[in-house]
Amino acid sequence: MPQTPNIVDTVQASQQSITAILNKIESVVLGKPKECRLALACLLAQGHLLIEDLPGMGKTTLAHVLATTLGLSYQRTQFTNDLLPADVVGFSIFDKESNRFELHKGPIFNQVVLADEINRASPKTQSALLEAMAEQQVSIDGITHELPLPFFVIATQNPLFHAGTYPLPESQLDRFMMRLSLGFPDLKAEKKILLNTAQRTNQTTRDNTAANGGVIEQEELIAMQDAVTQINVSNDVIEYIIALSHVSRRAYSSHSNVTHSTQTNTQVNDAEINCKPLSPRASKALLQAAKAMAFIDNRDYVLPDDVQAVFYVVCQHRLEMQPSQQLGASHINDNSVANQILKSVDVLNPLGHS
Amino acid sequence: MIFFNNKTKKSSSGTLGKVNVSFCLSRKNAWLLWLCQCLNIAVIALELSTWMLAIISLSLAWQALLLHNSRDRVKTRKKVSTVKHLSQRQHNHHKKQQASIVSPIILGIFALLGCIAIAITAKEVGILASMVHLLCFSYVLKAFELKARRDFYQLLLLGLFVLASSLIFRQDLVFSFITLILLVINLSVLLHFFSSEKTFASNIKVMTVILGQSAILAVVLFLVFPRLSPFWQMPRAKSAETGLSDTVKPGDIANLSRSTKLAFRADFGQQAIPNYSQLYWRAMVLEDFDGRQWTRIKAAPKNSAKASASNTFSVNLNGSDIVPLNYQITVEPSFQKYLFALAPAIASNEGNDIRAKSDYTLMSSKIITQAKSYQLSSFLSLPLALELSEHSRTVNLHYPEGSNPRLEQMALQLQHNYPEPQARAQAVLSRINQQNYSYTLQPPLLINNSLDQFFFDTQAGFCVHYASAFTFIMRASGIPARLVTGYLGGEFNGTNTGDKLSDKGHLSIYQYDAHAWSEIWVQGKGWVRVDPTGAVDPERVNSGWSNELLQQQSNLNNELFSLYQLKNIALLNILRLQFDILDYQWTKWVIGFNSKQQYNLLKHWFGKMASWKFALIIAIALVISMVMLMLFLHLLNRSKSKKKPLAKWQLVYQKSLGQLAKQGIVKPAAMTVNNFSKQVREQYPELAIVFTRLSVSYNRLCYQTLAKDEQLKLTLTMQQQYQDFCQTLKKQP
């Protein structure tokens, strides 16, 4: 392949930057290297990120540090239940002097939009993000405005059982490539957090992040994103992803079209997994995220390991029949639907050829 | 059977809990299965004894009740609580399951009792019938314990066995057709189990098409499969068949005349069919009379048999200038040994299986349990036995004196009035003709089968009455006479061109054509046939049944479509005759296709050869067809799953996995190669380096896009790594 050396070089060249970025993020979000990598992979794969956790777990910090490290313009918007769509996308206002309507751009006209506590806003406002997330453009008063590139929405949300939350509509949930959850820090990390806070009691977070500044330039980020799309994917990996999504669709397809889905070689054979089916968008996201993981891992080809690494965060929120109602349900556990699906597909022989 | 078992094993091992615990037929399937069982049993019901039928119908009713109850239960449940979710439904299923399962202890006791009953009656009904009983019994009981899919398969297979065994008893066209339809239904029930979303009718259609396709194979096997006699034999069904018996009382044949069953068929080929009144099909000669009934003499003395054998031969030699009448007879299974012929006749394929007897009857050496064909040549104009041995003269003059005094007295008087034997016979016939005798199927009851009473008082009877009375008079008056039973006439079926010589078709002789007549021995003429029935009802002898008799018969039979009605409605009669032709062809070509005909057919195809060559050809053909079948299945499977050939590195990796599995490390299917190598590293640090290398190579070969030469190099490296891996493994304690 002609671009193979090309991509290999790009991957190698980017490694330094990636290590730098990761170091930076990990120095702020302590004790969570895995989550940091996933978050970075999400942005490299040009996906939007949803971070769900209890208040005070460092959601906003992670979102913040991501935006700043990548050297992007960002704005934080606190979503509340009385927030209106116009507050997010912007509105036209009549200017007396120039005698015409002028556009007041909302916070969405930034490269990184930090939608804090997104599930506190009404569904109407949540939906205002839809067009922006899908098309990277917004329409105000019938005029379409392009958004700056690269464009990310990093949203945080509280667990749904918290007071005053609206569950995100499925259509919007589907547009987030990943849903991350940070979870409690371990002993060592927590100690470190406490020590750090003590050291800079009078420093604000703003100072902190401002001092950090960006590690890479915008152009470099775009180049990296391009490189991610060019990562090689072998047929086996594609089949693996197809097999995974077929397992989730089995409950739906078993009535009409049994031919293929029954052939996916499965361990948990006919025991039906109770889940929503994965859309082709989901499998696309899965592939893209896996590529990004491979990129971060300094590889120019995707391994099933990459797919497995991102499967939970990419797919769990699309698979759940009901949004998690319990504390910590969004943490990876062995009984989750995503893990059941993973366990049911043979890595070496995903489509059950014999 | 094996095929099915394998399948269930496979599925039950895969989905262990699911199949075993909650196997449950849908309501529709359950009812279909029940219906199918009823039909299968109905087919064989005639062969079962009454008590078994009672048990079976009881069980089926019970089964139906259970099915019905389960429906009610589900219904009420649905009413009480709206069915919300899967769990609820499963609960319902569970209930239903419980409702339709009878306690195994009760079932076991029931089964045991049934088996004991069958064993007790086994001596009475014969081994075959008791086996059929056992089969049907288990078929019905199995339905109570449908716990797994395997049971369902077993039940269906049992059903097929029941169907097949019903063919032992009857093989005519209609019955075979019914069986075929039932086969389709049985298999459709199986198909419906798997594709219940389609309608049953469409499943039947699919099944018909499939069976139609497989018919080719069936035809080929039918033609070439070797019919080796120890294996290829119908079990002998001992069945109470209608037909002639070797003892005849007056009134016996009247019962037989109610039956419209086919007795045999005669095919005269291109030859002219003799007149109706010539068609006396001889079956048995009854010479022993004890005053009540006529009996065949069991074992004739040897010397007389020899003498008569030479008689038949001399007949043939003398009659070489007479054109013989050649014809073929196809007998339906009668479960007797006697055969039919127009006497005097010789069987052209006379050999081991057909014996000509001294009284010009033919006997089969075996009981006829299957349709049997044989070729005959008859010399109708030749006399029978010009010489009468002393032994047979005494036998044929014997009568128990004083059994019918009035007849004896009359005989003496006749002897006095008519010294000439034939004139004497004529006198009796004219008496029958002139006086008020009537021919009827419903003769008045005779006390002790007294011939006196018949001849002088009731004067109404059937052929046997007249024949026995006549024979008795002849004997009493000193003329050797005997009673002959057989069939008279037959129904012509075929194209009737008007010109008798070019008629083409066959005669069908039914049980109602059964007849009895007399023979008297006249010096110089031999045995002369005298049919006293002709004196009372000439129509019977010349053209068959009179309308009056047919009417009587239909009244007696009380059937919806009696012969009388059928014969009267022209269209139906044509249909009946057409069907008879079909049935004849069926019997002739399908049922009558035995090893001899198979041999002839093969000879026709391949020319004359030694039989071992035939065996070889058939064996080779079988082997080839089996191989073809396997190949076909193999191709079918391959096209279905598009088997992907494993690459070299995949093979190598699988091999190494196998090696590790021997050591007790099994890779879970869902585990990636990298993770597995990590696991190996933890468990067997000695193997860590080699196996990790191997895994990395595998990953690269499998997932990285490599140039051809690079791939080749890496594959070689990987093989080398595999060798290293194996060696390290060997060093392991």
Side-chain angles (χ1 to χ4, degrees), chain B residues 499-515:
Chain B
D499 182 12
K500 267 234 154 188
L501 280 173
S502 58
D503 281 1
K504 228 184 155 183
H506 63 269
L507 280 174
S508 300
I509 291 94
Y510 296 93
Q511 292 295 353
Y512 61 74
D513 287 318
H515 195 57

Side-chain angles (χ1 to χ4, degrees), chain B residues 191-482:
Chain B
L191 183 64
H192 197 73
F193 175 69
F194 290 105
S195 63
S196 47
E197 72 276 0
K198 286 187 190 154
T199 61
F200 190 62
S202 72
N203 277 334
I204 283 186
K205 237 181 256 170
V206 170
M207 200 32 84
T208 315
V209 170
I210 292 174
L211 274 184
Q213 288 165 342
S214 58
I216 302 165
L217 189 68
V219 166
V220 170
L221 283 179
F222 176 76
L223 287 179
V224 302
F225 195 84
R227 282 142 203 259
L228 303 172
S229 57
F231 309 112
W232 196 269
Q233 226 171 17
M234 285 295 243
R236 210 168 278 171
K238 197 179 141 203
S239 130
E241 280 292 317
T242 46
L244 296 170
S245 70
D246 47 9
T247 49
V248 166
K249 293 190 287 279
D252 273 358
I253 288 186
N255 293 333
L256 200 56
S257 67
R258 291 188 201 178
S259 162
T260 52
K261 271 193 69 175
L262 187 73
F264 63 97
R265 290 190 175 95
D267 197 341
F268 287 89
Q270 299 294 335
Q271 281 180 306
I273 296 171
N275 284 331
Y276 194 93
S277 56
Q278 291 281 307
L279 295 170
Y280 279 88
W281 303 100
R282 194 184 185 85
M284 262 182 286
V285 171
L286 309 173
E287 295 180 310
D288 191 23
F289 185 59
D290 66 350
R292 299 286 166 261
Q293 58 184 19
W294 295 87
T295 327
R296 193 159 57 92
I297 290 179
K298 291 282 175 192
K302 273 180 186 173
N303 53 347
S304 83
K306 246 181 208 168
S308 60
S310 59
N311 258 354
T312 26
F313 275 118
S314 66
V315 160
N316 296 333
L317 291 173
N318 291 342
S320 53
D321 52 332
I322 301 168
V323 183
L325 182 67
N326 296 318
Y327 53 97
Q328 191 190 20
I329 286 188
T330 311
V331 202
E332 293 287 302
S334 63
F335 305 97
Q336 304 269 9
K337 284 184 175 178
Y338 56 79
L339 298 170
F340 313 98
L342 297 172
I346 50 163
S348 60
N349 53 349
E350 194 175 339
N352 293 328
D353 50 340
I354 297 181
R355 281 185 294 126
K357 294 194 56 174
S358 58
D359 50 11
Y360 299 94
T361 55
L362 298 176
M363 290 283 271
S364 162
S365 55
K366 285 178 199 152
I367 286 177
I368 301 159
T369 54
Q370 269 180 295
K372 179 182 173 74
S373 293
Y374 51 95
Q375 198 76 37
L376 288 177
S377 307
S378 285
F379 307 86
L380 293 182
S381 53
L382 280 185
L384 306 176
L386 288 171
E387 286 164 40
L388 192 64
S389 69
E390 203 49 45
H391 173 76
S392 55
R393 177 183 287 273
T394 48
V395 164
N396 285 311
L397 279 174
H398 167 79
Y399 62 96
E401 281 175 44
S403 58
N404 293 293
R406 285 154 83 188
L407 278 178
E408 283 169 44
Q409 199 187 343
M410 187 190 137
L412 288 175
Q413 205 177 336
L414 282 171
Q415 192 178 17
H416 182 71
N417 291 351
Y418 304 94
E420 180 63 23
Q422 278 184 295
R424 207 180 297 163
Q426 196 51 50
V428 179
L429 292 182
S430 48
R431 178 193 153 94
I432 291 171
N433 194 11
Q434 280 151 22
Q435 289 200 14
N436 192 22
Y437 284 94
S438 63
Y439 192 69
T440 174
L441 288 177
Q442 291 165 290
L445 211 63
L446 300 175
I447 300 160
N448 249 341
N449 289 321
S450 160
L451 291 175
D452 266 2
Q453 197 192 358
F454 154 71
F455 202 74
F456 294 106
D457 303 337
T458 63
Q459 300 198 330
F462 201 58
C463 54
V464 185
H465 294 91
Y466 289 98
S468 7
F470 178 81
T471 317
F472 185 85
I473 293 169
M474 286 298 113
R475 283 190 179 186
S477 67
I479 301 169
R482 57 191 186 187

Side-chain angles (χ1 to χ4, degrees), chain A residues 1 4 232-237 239-240 255 263 267 269-271 300-305 308 342-348 353-354, chain B residues 11 13-15 18 197 640-644 650 653-654 657 667-675 696 698-700 702-705:
Chain A
M1 278 201 181
T4 315
N232 290 316
V233 186
S234 76
N235 190 38
D236 294 274
V237 174
E239 279 181 358
Y240 185 53
H255 302 293
Q263 280 183 20
Q267 296 296 304
N269 251 340
D270 285 334
D300 65 325
Y301 56 94
V302 180
L303 284 180
D305 304 69
Q308 287 194 350
L342 272 184
K343 272 180 197 162
S344 70
V345 178
D346 187 352
V347 177
L348 297 183
H353 301 295
S354 51
Chain B
S11 67
S13 68
T15 61
K18 200 153 162 82
E197 72 276 0
K640 241 184 213 165
S641 62
K642 272 184 208 144
K643 216 172 186 178
K644 202 172 78 172
Q650 275 168 321
Y653 190 71
Q654 294 291 351
L657 282 186
K667 173 180 168 300
M671 194 178 256
T672 61
V673 176
N674 278 342
N675 288 346
V696 167
Y698 174 76
N699 264 342
R700 285 192 63 197
C702 221
Y703 301 110
Q704 198 175 7
T705 332

Side-chain angles (χ1 to χ4, degrees), chain A residues 243-252 275-278 319 341:
Chain A
L244 286 171
S245 49
H246 265 285
V247 171
S248 74
R249 292 171 200 167
R250 184 174 292 148
Y252 288 78
C275 64
K276 293 179 190 166
L278 286 178
L319 289 166
I341 291 178

Side-chain angles (χ1 to χ4, degrees), chain B residues 34 37-62 110 114 117-118 121 125 129-130 132-141 144 162 166 169:
Chain B
W34 183 80
Q37 270 192 300
C38 289
L39 288 172
N40 287 343
I41 290 293
V43 165
I44 207 169
L46 275 179
E47 315 303 332
L48 300 176
S49 47
T50 329
W51 62 271
M52 179 47 83
L53 276 180
I55 288 178
I56 285 175
S57 46
L58 204 75
S59 307
L60 285 173
W62 189 7
F110 192 47
I118 290 171
T121 54
V125 295
S130 55
V132 169
H133 277 72
L134 192 63
L135 178 65
C136 292
F137 188 53
S138 57
Y139 180 48
V140 172
L141 282 199
F144 285 106
V162 168
S166 74
F169 303 101

